[in-house]
Amino acid sequence: MALRTLATRKTLGGLGLGFQQQLRGLQTFSLPDLPYDYGALEPAISGEIMQLHHQKHHQTYITNYNKALEQLHDAMAKGDSPTVVKLQSAIKFNGGGHINHSIFWKNLAPVREGGGEPPKGSLGSAIDTHYGSLESLIQKINAEGAALQGSGWVWLAVDKELKRLVIETTANQDPLVTKGPSLAPLLGIDVWEHAYYLQYKNVRPDYLKNVWKVMNWKYASEVFEKECP
């Protein structure tokens, strides 16, 4: 996640000459670049969807996340506990949207760059051990994603404590960590309508079927090996 420093207008006065020029710093988040062109995932995901999803939806989560964090900073400085509590839902929703989409972009890759190629090595072996085959795993994930009511995400994760793969779903923009601190996301599929409606209309199962054609298993394998050395 890209970070930059946003300086506020207030200076830190009354702390000596060396501090009078310092500005109160507030870290904010910025939109990460995609590692591929918007149209590079076609025909599985259209360039129009990718551009809107990245530039509009993800950017909106970031904008609102930064706004909520700034409001939280000010509320804490004032000791305004009711506002601090009130802001938690906005921080969770918009911060989660930023976290989830930042993972999602890495989970995808153009076919010419290995998108859709089956996992190998330790992750491939773990999938065979826990689910019997890659095809069986995909069927289970697609079933969970299709059955998820409303908006949310379906995940393939590794439980770092149990050293095993798990399938989880999260509602809205809840990040996977809300399901357990030991869960590390390997793949996350966005099943909000904004991720597929322009191309697949209301037929979410077709989107779930085709997204595997551009799934970046190389990235998932790297995360798996890092989390389960």
Side-chain angles (χ1 to χ4, degrees), residues 125-141:
S125 298
I127 289 172
D128 289 341
T129 298
H130 296 145
Y131 295 99
S133 68
L134 177 60
E135 292 73 20
S136 177
L137 170 68
I138 290 175
Q139 288 178 4
K140 290 181 182 296
I141 291 177

Side-chain angles (χ1 to χ4, degrees), residues 173-185:
Q173 290 298 347
D174 290 358
L176 184 61
V177 69
T178 60
K179 287 296 185 78
S182 66
L183 297 179

Side-chain angles (χ1 to χ4, degrees), residues 100 103-104 107-108 153-156 185-190 215:
N100 294 343
I103 296 171
F104 184 55
N107 287 159
L108 305 173
W153 293 74
V154 57
W155 303 91
L156 173 65
L186 303 179
L187 296 175
I189 302 177
D190 188 347
M215 195 62 70

Side-chain angles (χ1 to χ4, degrees), residues 37-220:
D37 294 334
Y38 289 126
L41 304 180
E42 293 183 343
I45 304 177
S46 73
E48 183 182 14
I49 286 178
M50 289 300 297
Q51 184 171 5
L52 287 171
H53 201 170
H54 180 249
Q55 291 185 353
K56 302 298 183 181
H57 292 281
H58 191 174
Q59 181 62 66
T60 297
Y61 292 125
I62 291 172
T63 299
N64 291 334
Y65 187 33
N66 288 332
K67 180 180 178 181
L69 289 175
E70 184 174 3
Q71 291 173 339
L72 177 66
H73 186 280
D74 292 341
M76 292 181 67
K78 298 174 182 176
D80 184 355
S81 296
T83 298
V84 169
V85 173
K86 181 180 179 181
L87 287 167
Q88 297 309 305
S89 61
I91 290 172
K92 179 182 179 182
F93 179 78
N94 293 292
H98 177 43
I99 291 169
N100 294 343
H101 283 87
S102 296
I103 296 171
F104 184 55
W105 309 135
K106 296 176 183 178
N107 287 159
L108 305 173
V111 173
R112 65 176 180 272
E113 296 176 14
E117 291 184 3
K120 302 175 182 178
S122 57
L123 177 57
S125 298
I127 289 172
D128 289 341
T129 298
H130 296 145
Y131 295 99
S133 68
L134 177 60
E135 292 73 20
S136 177
L137 170 68
I138 290 175
Q139 288 178 4
K140 290 181 182 296
I141 291 177
N142 285 356
E144 291 284 344
L148 183 64
Q149 295 183 355
S151 301
W153 293 74
V154 57
W155 303 91
L156 173 65
V158 59
D159 189 315
K160 295 181 287 185
E161 292 183 357
L162 300 178
K163 304 294 184 182
R164 67 169 291 115
L165 298 174
V166 296
I167 297 171
E168 287 283 357
T169 60
T170 54
N172 300 313
Q173 290 298 347
D174 290 358
L176 184 61
V177 69
T178 60
K179 287 296 185 78
S182 66
L183 297 179
L186 303 179
L187 296 175
I189 302 177
D190 188 347
V191 293
W192 281 65
E193 284 193 342
H194 66 235
Y196 61 87
Y197 193 85
L198 284 176
Q199 184 173 359
Y200 295 97
K201 306 309 178 188
N202 64 335
V203 189
R204 186 190 289 178
D206 285 355
Y207 159 69
L208 289 168
K209 176 183 177 181
N210 287 325
V211 74
W212 296 101
K213 297 176 181 178
V214 289
M215 195 62 70
N216 188 0
W217 284 106
K218 181 180 179 181
Y219 170 79

